Amino acid sequence: MQKTADVGYSIAVLSWDQETYMPEKGAEFRAQQISTLSGVFHKMITDDTLGKWLEELSKDNSLNEKQKKNVELTKETYDKQKKFTTEFVELMSKTVSECFQAWQSAKEKNDFSIYQPKLEKLVELKKQECEILGYKDHPYDAQLNEYEKGATAKDLEKLFVDVRKELVPFVQKIKQAKQVEDSFFYKTYDKDKQWSFGLDLLKQMGYDFDAGRQDRSSHPFTTSFNPLDVRVTTRVSENDISEMIWSCIHEGGHGLYEQGLPAEEYGLPLSEAISLGIHESQSRLWENNVGRSLAYWKKNFPIVQFYFPDQLKDVKAEDFYKAMNKVEPSLIRTSADELTYHFHVMIRFEIEKALFEGTIKVADLPAYWNAKYKEYLGVDVPSDTKGVLQDIHWSHGSFGYFPTYSIGSFYAAQFFDKAKKENPSLTTEIEKGEMKNLLKWLREKVHIHGRFYTASELCEKITGEKLNFAYFMNYAKEKYGEIYEL
Ligand code: CO
């Protein structure tokens, strides 16, 4: 399994390089290199000898609990990979790369018709994939399960009913309140100084620079080659300091999770993250619950002011805190505030579910999208580039991915509530920039377990109950009630 992991993580290194330092002309051969290694990986993970060993090991009663879990989860992966023929894997990979290219050009030219035929092909293939993978109630469940094991359309629907019922009227109330001022975010901020400030924030969180580094990329991401080498990236915009701050703290949260996974389990499931939802809970906890709190800026505002004395001379810590929590319905998901963000996810969830049950067709997407944005966010979509073409996910064949963003935020609120209850001085510690205890808590409760527990088992183990949207809503009401004087 370690040898298989060696190949898998080598692909990760090549992909990281592709997004950060690779010169443009290297793209074609890089794609070939990654595709070759993916083939090697698939061959290794579906090797018949491995299958035989796993069969034997799953009957071996001398294994301890952790070893049993490693065998059980590896066997799951093996059985799943075995369901796919090489022809199917290759066809999928080819279709995805065509679809991705069509999406790029469609987005650039604001022309959905370039994308439509390729996406139709990909959706058809994805529907076949659902049948190959298998599902109980809804074909879309097979897609969801790839990112959030055990998640179903039915459960998510229930969750989003709560979101609609509670969050929609709450945002309406905020819309009628006096808007907060955030124009100082958009002055000119020297990129190198921003970079230094971002590194300060990462160090303060406890990100280990001897086991990781930060680089620039056009879309911030985190990747890991093993827990002792975890890379984060960020983007820096000269005319919006908030962008660097958020991506730094967010990816830092992902990075801390990866650095906290047990290195001694390298190559085995217990060295891996549970699910995208739990991964996102770690990034959102740092980004929102910590990074968008007043306590956090009591410590860090003087630091950012030190870097940018002119730009921020008339600004107070409290103004900075309010600005970063400005709520305003908008067109673009990635720059949405932490409340209206979930409307963006809800729209994508409804569309994906409808696509997989066949109630809408790819051709209907732009009109359907625009109607939903009007309904949930009250905004008119001026172009498909700023509408249905904005996200990369579908062109990659990633259906069922979006809901994990919301699930992650809701887990984060529930975990953070528990962390505060177990450590009543947490807020005071954050005010002083002392993150040691919080990180230790996350390490012990979440990181060191790898995939030993499922997401919902872990949530129950930590908080005593299953995922409960009420924690997010209470957090939102308390914070935004104060900011907007509701
Ligand atoms: Co994330």
Side-chain angles (χ1 to χ4, degrees):
M1 288 314 293
Q2 289 203 349
K3 287 192 175 177
T4 311
D6 292 342
V7 176
Y9 289 120
S10 300
I11 298 172
V13 178
L14 291 180
S15 308
W16 169 83
D17 175 71
Q18 187 175 34
E19 301 285 322
T20 49
Y21 294 109
M22 187 190 74
E24 221 177 285
K25 287 182 178 170
E28 207 177 316
F29 282 118
R30 180 55 51 87
Q32 183 183 317
Q33 290 155 355
I34 289 175
S35 154
T36 299
L37 281 181
S38 302
V40 173
F41 182 84
H42 187 255
K43 215 172 152 192
M44 289 172 86
I45 199 78
T46 52
D47 189 290
D48 289 335
T49 314
L50 174 64
K52 231 165 50 200
W53 290 343
L54 286 168
E55 200 61 53
E56 269 171 46
L57 283 167
S58 46
K59 289 178 198 132
D60 187 339
N61 286 323
S62 68
L63 302 184
N64 66 31
E65 288 307 304
K66 283 184 170 185
Q67 291 170 325
K68 275 185 193 156
K69 192 53 93 178
N70 273 327
V71 171
E72 176 196 322
L73 294 171
T74 306
K75 196 164 178 314
E76 234 175 64
T77 306
Y78 174 84
D79 290 339
K80 194 175 83 187
Q81 292 294 335
K82 272 288 196 196
K83 290 180 178 176
F84 296 108
T85 61
T86 315
E87 291 75 37
F88 187 85
V89 172
E90 280 171 7
L91 181 61
M92 182 66 89
S93 149
K94 195 171 151 264
T95 311
V96 163
S97 99
E98 282 171 10
C99 197
F100 172 64
Q101 275 163 20
W103 168 74
Q104 275 184 315
S105 142
K107 188 178 177 186
E108 203 184 293
K109 296 182 181 129
N110 186 34
D111 183 354
F112 185 77
S113 72
I114 301 171
Y115 185 36
Q116 190 186 318
K118 303 291 180 191
L119 188 60
E120 278 166 353
K121 224 173 120 187
L122 184 56
V123 169
E124 273 323 300
L125 210 54
K126 280 275 150 183
K127 283 183 179 172
Q128 283 178 37
E129 187 185 78
C130 295
E131 300 306 319
I132 294 169
L133 288 167
Y135 55 87
K136 241 165 73 190
D137 295 322
H138 198 290
Y140 183 47
D141 292 351
Q143 297 295 322
L144 288 168
N145 197 53
E146 290 295 282
Y147 305 108
E148 201 62 29
K149 199 171 148 187
T152 63
K154 216 165 113 192
D155 288 343
L156 284 172
E157 220 155 62
K158 247 195 286 177
L159 183 67
F160 284 126
V161 165
D162 287 344
V163 175
R164 238 188 323 257
K165 217 167 55 197
E166 306 221 24
L167 205 53
V168 172
F170 188 62
V171 168
Q172 281 305 328
K173 249 174 62 194
I174 291 177
K175 262 167 96 176
Q176 280 146 26
K178 189 172 170 279
Q179 188 51 287
V180 302
E181 169 63 35
D182 69 343
S183 57
F184 49 82
F185 276 165
Y186 311 105
K187 291 180 177 176
T188 307
Y189 289 89
D190 178 77
K191 283 185 169 184
D192 292 336
K193 285 188 190 168
Q194 284 196 55
W195 186 259
S196 304
F197 178 54
L199 294 182
D200 291 347
L201 294 180
L202 282 171
K203 279 177 203 152
Q204 187 187 73
M205 289 163 72
Y207 181 84
D208 181 359
F209 277 94
D210 293 326
R213 52 177 287 130
Q214 178 171 258
D215 295 271
R216 286 175 175 80
S217 69
S218 55
H219 300 282
F221 67 94
T222 301
T223 184
S224 166
F225 312 140
N226 63 69
L228 302 175
D229 188 355
V230 175
R231 310 296 175 92
V232 290
T233 71
T234 192
R235 69 175 152 214
V236 185
S237 149
E238 203 173 35
N239 301 305
D240 179 1
I241 190 174
S242 69
E243 201 170 278
M244 180 283 297
I245 294 174
W246 301 131
S247 62
C248 233
I249 306 176
H250 181 97
E251 301 308 329
H254 281 304
L256 287 175
Y257 185 13
E258 292 287 344
Q259 288 185 335
L261 290 166
E264 67 276 13
E265 299 277 350
Y266 176 78
L268 296 169
L270 292 198
S271 77
E272 292 166 1
I274 295 179
S275 67
L276 285 188
I278 295 296
H279 226 307
E280 198 67 9
S281 80
Q282 300 305 290
S283 57
R284 304 261 167 160
L285 186 145
W286 285 100
E287 181 193 343
N288 295 333
N289 304 86
V290 177
R292 285 185 215 266
S293 71
L294 184 56
Y296 187 80
W297 290 101
K298 277 189 181 162
K299 168 71 187 177
N300 289 304
F301 183 70
I303 302 175
V304 68
Q305 209 176 26
F306 165 81
Y307 281 109
F308 301 105
D310 291 339
Q311 291 88 333
L312 297 171
K313 67 172 183 291
D314 300 322
V315 181
K316 291 195 283 292
E318 186 139 342
D319 305 328
F320 203 81
Y321 157 72
K322 283 185 180 170
M324 71 189 37
N325 285 296
K326 181 179 180 181
V327 174
E328 195 172 46
S330 60
L331 286 167
I332 308 294
R333 176 185 60 85
T334 52
S335 51
D337 59 82
E338 65 170 324
L339 299 187
T340 62
Y341 187 89
H342 301 293
F343 303 161
H344 294 262
V345 173
M346 236 156 61
I347 291 169
R348 286 153 179 79
F349 166 70
E350 287 178 17
I351 290 177
E352 290 182 346
K353 192 174 151 277
L355 262 183
F356 278 86
E357 60 195 21
T359 43
I360 61 170
K361 292 190 186 69
V362 170
D364 308 328
L365 286 180
Y368 199 80
W369 180 284
N370 297 352
K372 286 280 170 196
Y373 264 76
K374 189 74 189 171
E375 185 188 343
Y376 290 152
L377 287 140
V379 295
D380 291 304
V381 180
S383 67
D384 287 340
T385 296
K386 290 189 167 162
V388 69
L389 292 172
Q390 66 179 266
D391 296 307
I392 192 172
H393 301 57
W394 292 341
S395 79
H396 272 172
S398 302
F399 296 91
Y401 194 116
F402 289 116
T404 67
Y405 293 132
S406 286
I407 294 172
S409 296
F410 305 155
Y411 273 132
Q414 194 165 337
F415 292 165
F416 195 68
D417 176 82
K418 189 69 182 176
K420 277 209 298 206
K421 278 180 186 144
E422 289 187 10
N423 175 8
S425 22
L426 184 56
T427 307
T428 331
E429 290 172 13
I430 294 172
E431 275 175 13
K432 292 188 216 146
E434 290 167 9
M435 309 296 184
K436 230 177 35 245
N437 286 334
L438 176 61
L439 181 56
K440 184 166 169 267
W441 190 85
L442 292 169
R443 289 263 189 266
E444 284 168 6
K445 300 285 175 179
V446 183
H447 305 175
I448 58 159
H449 301 296
R451 287 176 62 199
F452 191 82
Y453 303 105
T454 64
S456 113
E457 280 167 3
L458 185 82
C459 184
E460 271 197 86
K461 195 175 143 61
I462 296 173
T463 68
E465 58 182 310
K466 287 206 161 59
L467 180 61
N468 181 351
F469 175 67
Y471 287 98
F472 180 83
M473 209 49 226
N474 289 341
Y475 151 77
K477 278 186 176 154
E478 199 185 307
K479 179 158 127 185
Y480 292 92
E482 219 173 274
I483 293 173
Y484 282 96
E485 295 170 17
L486 302 175

